[in-house]
Amino acid sequence: MNFVAIILTLLGVMAGVQESLPSRYFKSKGHHGRTAENEPPFTEKYFSQIVDHFNFNSMGNGTFNQRYLITEKYWDRENGPIFFYTGNEGDIWDFALNSGFITELAEQQRALVIFAEHRYYGKSLPFGQESFNIPQVGLLTVEQALADFALLISQLKQELGASNCPVIVFGGSYGGMLSAYMRQRYPNLVAGALAASAPVLSTAGMGDPRQFFRDVTSDFEGYAPECSAAVRGAFQRVQDLAEHQAYDRLQSAFALCKKPSSPGDVRQLKGFLRNAFTLLAMLDYPYSTHFWGDMPAHPVKVACEAMLSGPDLLANLRNTSGIVYNSTGEQTCFDLYSLYVECADPTGCGLGSNSLAWDYQACTEIELCYESNNVTDMFPAMTFTPAERLAYCSKRWGVTPRPGWLRTQYWGDALSTASNIIYSNGDLDPWANGGVRTSLSPSVVAINITDGAHHLDLRGSNDADPASVISARKTEANLIAQWVAMERLRLK
């Protein structure tokens, strides 16, 4: 499919909005339909999980149904390990469908595979439709999620007669953070962890707030310096129109469903557009994907071709954002407030109930005070300071964030005292420099993947894979096999 041709084709559609949208529409953190071709061999099950692991009075022994996926297809019950995916901020099927390396490795090492859904995401809602009310949402914490995983592992090992089967945990992004935390917090249950694209440092308040959007910019500059210059110029045109309150022109230029009418609407437009570039950089895979919507192969390249396609920078910016927000070609206009929600994560929370859960986590334990400044990056100056985070979170959720909590809980800059953790990162991923890029010990290993986007190594093998990710997966497989062998000896 010629994505560039599609996104550059505009047709008149609406009175008041004379341009149609570029094709391809982004379905934020959505769950795509499964077909016989891509159906992994999982059975969907539910586990009666404890609502509150740490307070015997508030909820008693109350339980909720935690969803998990399981397959014994590859498992050697006598000698095979357990591969356990620590679910993150979304529907667990989305991660199972996009983490083919785990099942490939399970076939090689004869493992049982489990994908566990994170509480408050997907269908694992402790209080049903009331889960995001206050105070019910207060049981959404990293600690509760880790305890969920620990109890699920323990119970399933007992039920399946697998008490002597070593457990290796896997995760990507926030899920990668959880995998590392599981090895640190529950080494009695977990023999090792593959933490892919896990920003364990920046989310603990240990990074530069400019790093994320600087690295998004670097991806586009890496394709062509004139690409980032064009993006910067387009955003300046947006600012110029906003300063003159040319709201009609902004609506027409970006095919907006509703005319902007305030500085707040303009900020929403800027966040909406910046978020498109964030996703294009994160998902810059060498082949088309269907993880967070339909994305073409090499989306940064496709985006830069759109940005450099002609002299009308606003039209080019609109078309580029359409790669993300109009992936079905069905939209006749952009609804800024339904397609993008500003929240406590400047890189985007997504939409729907999953976005509520992530917003709450970003307001409590997970620090995401990232900013763009139009100096070290190509985006408009948009701050999100600790003070702004506090004001937003106090108003939205009635909570006061706890800066430094993850650093205290999960060892911060003392990670060298851990063991049996792989931190893998791709150099195209804007999250990479918020994680561990240098090996800290012989058993806390950093793997850097040239030309790798967001947790590319967890994806299934593809003919277009760069040699670097093929090598990374081999290293990961060898280390995991060593950990399994060591743990099997210990258990015996």
Side-chain angles (χ1 to χ4, degrees):
M1 182 178 294
N2 188 333
F3 252 80
V4 177
I6 293 174
I7 65 173
L8 297 181
T9 301
L10 299 175
L11 301 171
V13 291
M14 296 175 62
V17 178
Q18 298 303 313
E19 296 92 354
S20 74
L21 295 180
S23 60
R24 300 285 136 202
Y25 170 63
F26 172 66
K27 296 181 178 178
S28 178
K29 297 192 178 183
H31 174 44
H32 291 265
R34 301 188 296 281
T35 67
E37 291 184 12
N38 67 10
E39 180 81 43
F42 291 110
T43 300
E44 180 176 297
K45 295 188 176 183
Y46 288 84
F47 176 72
S48 183
Q49 186 60 263
I50 294 174
V51 173
D52 188 349
H53 296 279
F54 308 114
N55 189 322
F56 289 86
N57 291 325
S58 67
M59 299 294 168
N61 289 316
T63 61
F64 72 98
N65 289 327
Q66 180 181 15
R67 182 166 57 163
Y68 68 97
L69 313 177
I70 187 169
T71 179
E72 300 182 27
K73 178 178 179 179
Y74 314 108
W75 190 27
D76 178 349
R77 285 178 172 267
E78 297 298 322
N79 299 297
I82 297 172
F83 290 170
F84 186 96
Y85 185 93
T86 52
N88 35 318
E89 69 278 29
D91 187 303
I92 194 60
W93 274 109
D94 285 334
F95 302 111
L97 287 167
N98 288 277
S99 303
F101 171 63
I102 298 174
T103 48
E104 290 173 6
L105 189 61
E107 186 172 12
Q108 295 171 21
Q109 300 192 8
R110 313 309 300 163
L112 173 72
V113 181
I114 301 166
F115 278 74
E117 192 162 70
H118 193 299
R119 60 169 51 206
Y120 288 84
Y121 291 97
K123 293 185 178 180
S124 299
L125 303 177
F127 302 98
Q129 296 304 310
E130 298 181 356
S131 294
F132 300 102
N133 295 344
I134 300 171
Q136 289 92 330
V137 72
L139 293 177
L140 172 53
T141 67
V142 171
E143 293 75 21
Q144 295 279 4
L146 296 180
D148 289 343
F149 297 149
L151 187 59
L152 180 57
I153 289 170
S154 298
Q155 292 295 318
L156 288 181
K157 288 184 76 172
Q158 181 177 343
E159 291 177 11
L160 296 169
S163 59
N164 289 325
C165 292
V167 176
I168 304 296
V169 290
F170 298 76
S173 196
Y174 169 53
M177 293 165 55
L178 296 176
S179 290
Y181 297 163
M182 281 295 291
R183 171 59 185 169
Q184 294 167 235
R185 180 58 64 88
Y186 297 102
N188 57 314
L189 295 176
V190 172
L194 171 51
S197 299
V200 292
L201 302 179
S202 62
T203 55
M206 297 169 60
D208 182 341
R210 301 169 297 180
Q211 170 264 314
F212 186 87
F213 291 109
R214 181 189 66 215
D215 288 355
V216 172
T217 299
S218 293
D219 283 355
F220 291 85
E221 285 182 344
Y223 176 76
E226 56 269 29
C227 178
S228 62
V231 174
R232 193 186 299 267
F235 274 111
Q236 184 58 53
R237 293 287 304 277
V238 172
Q239 181 62 27
D240 292 343
L241 290 173
E243 289 178 355
H244 289 88
Q245 296 187 5
Y247 296 139
D248 286 328
R249 177 67 181 120
L250 285 175
Q251 182 184 20
S252 174
F254 291 101
L256 304 180
C257 299
K258 183 178 180 181
K259 183 173 72 174
S261 60
S262 69
D265 289 342
V266 173
R267 178 180 174 85
Q268 181 73 10
L269 173 62
K270 291 176 180 177
F272 166 86
L273 294 169
R274 185 181 69 175
N275 188 59
F277 288 93
T278 294
L279 290 164
L280 290 164
M282 285 174 57
L283 304 179
D284 194 20
Y285 301 123
Y287 47 83
S288 62
T289 58
H290 310 281
F291 187 17
W292 283 327
D294 296 329
M295 199 68 75
H298 301 290
V300 167
K301 174 180 180 290
V302 174
C304 282
E305 289 173 348
M307 283 304 309
L308 298 172
S309 63
D312 188 341
L313 291 180
L314 293 182
N316 297 346
L317 183 57
R318 176 191 62 217
N319 296 339
T320 300
S321 67
I323 301 169
V324 171
Y325 292 113
N326 195 28
S327 65
T328 63
E330 296 172 356
Q331 300 302 299
T332 56
C333 61
F334 286 141
D335 185 334
L336 291 180
Y337 288 94
S338 68
L339 292 172
Y340 171 74
V341 177
E342 188 172 22
C343 65
D345 178 359
T347 74
C349 284
L351 301 172
S353 64
N354 292 334
S355 73
L356 297 177
W358 187 242
D359 188 34
Y360 182 80
Q361 289 196 266
C363 271
T364 50
E365 297 178 296
I366 297 171
E367 298 181 51
L368 296 162
C369 289
Y370 304 156
E371 66 173 38
S372 58
N373 55 41
N374 201 234
V375 177
T376 60
D377 57 65
M378 61 188 182
F379 302 110
M382 298 177 69
T383 63
F384 190 62
T385 64
E388 289 171 324
R389 180 191 186 208
L390 172 61
Y392 170 83
C393 296
S394 297
K395 180 179 180 181
R396 176 63 184 87
W397 296 106
V399 297
T400 299
R402 293 182 184 174
W405 179 243
L406 290 185
R407 183 174 185 173
T408 299
Q409 279 282 74
Y410 303 108
W411 309 8
D413 50 4
L415 294 173
S416 61
T417 57
S419 65
N420 293 7
I421 301 175
I422 300 167
Y423 291 102
S424 63
N425 285 285
D427 65 359
L428 299 181
D429 184 10
W431 291 102
N433 287 322
V436 178
R437 303 301 302 272
T438 303
S439 295
L440 304 177
S441 75
S443 66
V444 180
V445 179
I447 297 177
N448 294 302
I449 303 169
T450 303
D451 296 327
H454 201 48
H455 48 72
L456 173 63
D457 51 327
L458 288 186
R459 299 186 62 82
S461 299
N462 189 287
D463 290 342
D465 280 336
S468 58
V469 77
I470 296 171
S471 176
R473 291 180 185 133
K474 288 179 180 178
T475 300
E476 292 164 357
N478 289 336
L479 286 170
I480 288 168
Q482 293 173 28
W483 296 342
V484 168
M486 291 169 57
E487 181 69 1
R488 186 174 289 115
L489 287 174
R490 188 189 72 81
L491 291 171
K492 289 182 178 179

